[in-house]
Amino acid sequence: MSLTVKCFAAGPLGENTYVITDDATGFKAVVDPGYYGMDVRMEIQNNAYLKFILLTHGHHDHYAALREYMDEYISASFIAPAGEHYLMYESREHLMMSGGRSASGLPQAKRFVREGDTIELGETMLRVIETPGHTEGGICFATDHEVFSGDTLFRLSVGNTSFETGDWATMVNSIQNKLYTLDDDTVVYPGHGPATTIGYEKRANPFV
């Protein structure tokens, strides 16, 4: 079971949009649809192969191009964190911060996921890990070898907790007791910046 990961660091605020491919079947998913361009379209190639559009948390820079994906790939399922419903669909503060591109204007997810839920992408199993702190309902998607950490854990840094629903102590707890329990050689694909590993962050990250 292996996964190919392509990163497109072109979304708002330097957000990383990932196109991941299950090597055995060619089935694909997009993680954090903040950006959509011709380079992404070429990576996906066949509309039928894009199965899922996955969201780690409800900040606008991570779903800025969601509508474009849903219009282009009508058979793909949008999957979002159950704990982010308020931030995605109800928060007036976030509605203003996103220029009106959230709340009622955000497409409804086909599936809301929680801790322990799984998503089958061909032969690849993605596990949902709830990692509140950057936001109250943020999640990560993990395989046996990778974790897509959203804005929870970065290379030598962590997410900002000063926004609505953020909490520093909760963030630290999520990293120490959830992400740092993964294997040291697990590759971390964050929502901003370069990839890293769990082992490197445990040794060198000055914030946790």
Side-chain angles (χ1 to χ4, degrees):
M1 180 178 66
S2 61
L3 194 70
T4 296
V5 179
K6 294 291 181 68
C7 177
F8 299 88
L13 307 179
E15 181 268 345
N16 292 335
T17 291
Y18 295 97
V19 178
I20 62 176
T21 304
D22 173 65
D23 293 332
T25 62
F27 293 157
K28 300 174 185 289
V30 169
V31 181
D32 284 344
Y35 166 74
Y36 182 62
M38 185 57 67
D39 47 358
V40 173
R41 190 172 188 177
M42 293 297 292
E43 176 63 26
I44 295 172
Q45 294 186 355
N46 188 327
N47 288 25
Y49 277 82
L50 185 63
K51 299 300 181 182
F52 304 110
I53 303 166
L54 309 176
L55 186 66
T56 60
H57 66 288
H59 283 158
H60 172 257
D61 57 320
H62 288 257
Y63 64 75
L66 174 60
R67 178 65 70 181
E68 294 174 75
Y69 283 97
M70 297 188 72
D71 288 345
E72 181 78 15
Y73 306 97
I74 59 175
S75 62
S77 297
F78 172 38
I79 298 178
E84 291 291 78
H85 193 279
Y86 165 76
L87 200 60
M88 294 166 62
Y89 298 108
E90 302 173 39
S91 167
R92 290 185 177 274
E93 179 178 328
H94 191 237
L95 177 62
M96 291 185 289
M97 290 176 61
S98 64
R101 290 167 293 201
S102 61
S104 60
L106 182 63
Q108 283 288 327
K110 184 172 183 179
R111 179 183 174 192
F112 288 97
V113 290
R114 297 184 179 278
E115 176 82 22
D117 286 346
T118 58
I119 299 161
E120 294 183 24
L121 180 67
E123 295 185 5
T124 299
M125 186 74 71
L126 295 158
R127 307 185 309 277
V128 175
I129 304 173
E130 291 185 347
T131 52
H134 177 64
T135 62
E136 65 181 349
I139 62 175
C140 299
F141 298 99
T143 72
D144 291 338
H145 306 288
E146 304 94 1
V147 61
F148 298 89
S149 62
D151 285 0
T152 297
L153 180 64
F154 304 126
R155 185 181 185 277
L156 298 178
S157 189
V158 297
N160 186 341
T161 59
S162 66
F163 300 121
E164 186 180 21
T165 80
D167 183 80
W168 175 256
T170 303
M171 164 81 79
V172 172
N173 181 70
S174 291
I175 295 172
Q176 291 180 337
N177 296 311
K178 295 286 190 70
L179 296 184
Y180 279 5
T181 65
L182 300 175
D183 290 343
D184 281 0
D185 60 356
T186 300
V187 179
V188 179
Y189 292 103
H192 302 267
T196 183
T197 66
I198 290 295
Y200 180 73
E201 295 312 310
K202 287 166 68 174
R203 294 190 303 272
N205 194 308
F207 294 95
V208 185

